[in-house]
């Protein structure tokens, strides 16, 4: 959720200001790396993708959604600034649709392998293959437990269970696995695989130590906080703990590293940003604990966590984010949960 946490970006430096590449254009960020931007419907508006010089061709990092406009944007890039360059490999940082939506299309078009971490590839495959006319019963239970009303549950259930397959094309049946600590030679550069969790299970970041560059994906964003959600796949999970621990590990990187995020603009000031993200979520946890002076559902906690009304378009993300903060308080012993009539109520301890 864009405003789900205090996310001050003061102290960051933006090398290109608010400049961003337009349709069919690239910005050279140095060290054999180019930046392209693809449109995404909704409040995010875009996803950044990175094109890495790989000798005889280029390696692509992330793909955008499987939508006609995104395919046209790739056509413009491939016929324009990338004309005559082959594609050597396709890397996806994680399984979310704006990052993996066109992985199958691009991999087939250029007959190249898809590179991902194992958990992310398995999640992408599972999400795209789980297509049915009605949501599974686990989804109904999850929504009810979070405090969704029966009318809202019925309305969302009537949409079916095909939302992911509408924006993610069929994925390759095989992949090349990336693991923490792997060093991948791409062109003249050596990229170390760093793994983050919380936003997704096994999110890949790529660190080029010599160039002092980090392709951060969604793990660290400059102006908004990454969505960190409890999902119906793991309703007892504690993803906020995982995410905060991932931020702490990234503090081992240089403060002046150039961060290439999936949303927003390239920036420096990594340690300042990590501190702001941690402090923002910790402040939210404190405010939420005070809000739980009486039993509250996840939906009722929107009033504490978000600075705007939550409509149907953002309901699922807001629900997952609220549940992540409530589960963190529960694990810390600062809140307890009670299931009544299928609805979870959380109260401060």
């Amino acid at each position: 959720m864009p405003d789900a946490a205090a996310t001050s970006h003061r102290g960051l430096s933006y090398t290109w200001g608010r400049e961003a590449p337009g349709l069919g254009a690239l910005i050279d960020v140095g060290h054999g790396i180019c930046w392209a931007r693809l449109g995404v419907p909704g409040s995010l508006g875009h996803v950044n993708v990175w094109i890495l010089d790989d000798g005889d061709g280029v390696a692509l990092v992330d793909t955008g959604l499987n939508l006609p406009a995104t395919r046209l944007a790739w056509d413009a890039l491939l016929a324009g600034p990338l004309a005559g360059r082959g594609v050597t490999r396709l890397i996806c940082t994680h399984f979310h649709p704006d990052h993996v939506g066109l992985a199958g299309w691009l991999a087939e078009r250029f007959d190249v392998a898809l590179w991902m971490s194992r958990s992310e590839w398995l999640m992408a495959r599972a999400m795209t293959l789980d297509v049915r006319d009605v949501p599974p019963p686990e989804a109904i239970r999850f929504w009810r437990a979070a405090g969704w009303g029966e009318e809202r549950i019925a309305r969302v259930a009537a949409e079916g269970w095909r939302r992911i397959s509408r924006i993610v094309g069929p994925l390759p049946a095989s992949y090349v696995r990336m693991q923490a600590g792997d060093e991948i030679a791409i062109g003249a550069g050596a990229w170390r695989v760093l793994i983050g969790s919380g936003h997704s299970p096994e999110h890949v970041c790529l660190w080029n130590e010599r160039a002092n560059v980090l392709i951060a994906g969604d793990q660290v964003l400059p102006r908004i906080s990454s969505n960190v959600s409890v999902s119906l796949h793991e309703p007892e999970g504690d993803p906020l703990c995982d995410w905060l621990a991932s931020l702490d590990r990234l503090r081992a990187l240089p403060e002046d590293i150039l961060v290439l995020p999936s949303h927003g603009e390239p920036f420096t000031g990594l340690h300042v940003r990590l501190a702001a993200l941690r402090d923002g979520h910790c402040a939210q946890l404190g405010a939420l604990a005070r809000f739980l002076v009486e039993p509250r559902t996840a939906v009722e906690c929107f009033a504490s966590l978000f600075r705007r009304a939550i409509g149907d378009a953002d309901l699922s993300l807001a629900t997952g984010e609220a549940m992540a903060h409530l589960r963190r308080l529960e694990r810390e012993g600062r809140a307890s949960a009670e299931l009544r009539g299928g609805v979870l109520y959380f109260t401060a301890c």
Side-chain angles (χ1 to χ4, degrees):
M1 294 291 295
D3 58 357
T7 56
S8 170
H9 55 93
R10 288 176 296 180
L12 305 187
S13 296
Y14 297 91
T15 306
W16 288 269
R18 299 308 299 268
E19 180 184 1
L23 178 67
L26 297 176
I27 290 178
D28 186 344
V29 301
H31 310 289
I33 308 163
C34 288
W35 169 26
R37 179 167 280 186
L38 306 171
V40 173
S43 58
L44 278 178
H46 70 270
V47 62
N48 298 324
V49 296
W50 309 99
I51 292 91
L52 311 182
D53 183 85
D54 199 12
D56 293 337
V58 293
L60 309 180
V61 181
D62 289 335
T63 74
L65 297 167
N66 180 28
L67 294 173
T70 318
R71 291 193 292 272
L72 287 173
W74 273 115
D75 287 339
L77 286 168
L78 294 165
L82 296 177
R85 302 296 304 275
V87 173
T88 58
R89 72 188 96 190
L90 175 62
I91 298 170
C92 289
T93 56
H94 60 297
F95 81 93
H96 291 164
D98 52 332
H99 299 264
V100 78
L102 283 173
W105 181 73
L106 287 164
E108 181 178 6
R109 178 168 179 168
F110 294 101
D111 191 25
V112 294
L114 170 62
W115 292 54
M116 296 183 76
S117 67
R118 176 182 285 169
S119 297
E120 300 294 334
W121 181 78
L122 289 172
M123 282 297 297
R125 290 282 291 179
M127 295 287 284
T128 52
L129 293 175
D130 185 12
V131 176
R132 56 185 89 186
D133 293 329
V134 296
E138 293 90 344
I140 304 299
R141 286 197 294 269
F142 182 80
W143 298 334
R144 185 173 291 122
W148 290 23
E150 295 302 316
E151 181 181 346
R152 178 171 267 172
I153 290 173
R155 186 167 66 250
V156 174
E159 298 174 4
W161 199 245
R162 300 171 181 270
R163 285 174 290 178
I164 295 297
S165 64
R166 294 188 185 113
I167 51 177
V168 178
L171 290 164
S174 63
Y175 77 112
V176 176
R177 183 184 180 190
M178 292 187 289
Q179 302 181 76
D182 285 354
E183 187 170 278
I184 303 171
I186 302 177
W191 294 84
R192 180 78 63 185
V193 175
L194 308 179
I195 295 296
S197 299
H199 176 68
S200 66
E202 197 181 359
H203 183 297
V204 167
C205 301
L206 295 172
W207 173 34
N208 187 323
E209 183 175 8
R210 183 175 180 181
N212 202 29
V213 173
L214 176 71
I215 296 177
D218 280 352
Q219 200 66 30
V220 182
L221 302 173
R223 298 177 186 273
I224 60 175
S225 176
S226 310
N227 177 261
V228 180
S229 285
V230 168
S231 71
L232 69 92
H233 307 101
E234 192 181 348
E236 302 291 330
D238 186 9
L240 186 53
C241 179
D242 295 337
W243 189 68
L244 292 172
S246 296
L247 296 187
D248 290 344
R249 290 195 298 273
L250 288 173
R251 290 185 62 84
L253 298 179
E255 163 64 11
D256 64 348
I257 197 169
L258 175 63
V259 182
L260 306 181
S262 288
H263 306 284
E265 294 76 39
F267 69 94
T268 57
L270 175 64
H271 292 190
V272 170
R273 185 61 183 143
L274 295 174
L277 289 168
R278 170 171 274 284
D279 291 349
H281 279 280
C282 289
Q284 275 201 310
L285 288 169
L288 184 59
R290 294 188 292 273
F291 185 71
L292 298 178
V293 65
E294 61 184 70
R296 310 276 193 181
T297 68
V299 168
E300 289 171 336
C301 290
F302 291 175
S304 173
L305 291 167
F306 307 114
R307 295 190 286 271
R308 59 186 174 85
I310 301 298
D312 282 352
D314 293 324
L315 180 61
S316 291
L317 289 177
T319 298
E321 190 91 33
M323 286 296 298
H325 286 78
L326 290 164
R327 289 298 189 197
R328 182 83 293 265
L329 289 176
E330 185 183 22
R331 297 293 178 87
E332 291 178 351
R334 298 163 68 186
S336 61
E338 180 183 4
L339 189 64
R340 286 188 253 151
V343 180
L344 271 174
Y345 291 89
F346 292 84
T347 311
C349 293

